[in-house]
Amino acid sequence: MQKIQNPFEVIDARLDGFGEILKEIQSLLKSQNRLTDSEPIEARITKKQAAALINCSVSTIDNARRAGKITAYRIGGKAVRFEKSEVLNLAKK
């Protein structure tokens, strides 16, 4: 009979290598001129994170996207991300 592991230990074990994988992806993208040092992967944030960052509602972020004030990047099917720098610039206006 196989011992059942603590699910949190399983998750921790799988996430341990994630940082190294992210560094490898960044290195690969830089070598293909698809990513510059000024555009780290972490710079893209969710709609909810963008709203929290500039202390506004999610609807305000949606309205800014529709008005062309910030660019939305699709990840997969429905997920949308925003450049953190664009969101911060939006707050300055």
Side-chain angles (χ1 to χ4, degrees), residues 14-25:
R14 290 187 180 180
L15 290 178
D16 278 345
F18 184 71
E20 292 301 317
I21 293 169
L22 182 59
K23 287 178 187 175
E24 287 178 31
I25 292 170

Side-chain angles (χ1 to χ4, degrees), residues 35-76:
L35 183 72
T36 65
D37 288 330
S38 62
E39 298 179 85
I41 290 175
E42 297 89 11
R44 292 199 177 152
I45 57 177
T46 66
K47 193 184 324 183
K48 200 174 196 179
Q49 290 170 330
L53 182 65
I54 61 173
N55 197 25
C56 70
S57 69
V58 173
S59 298
T60 300
I61 299 297
D62 281 331
N63 292 338
R65 180 189 52 80
R66 278 190 227 102
K69 294 179 182 177
I70 56 176
T71 306
Y73 298 90
R74 291 236 177 252
I75 309 294

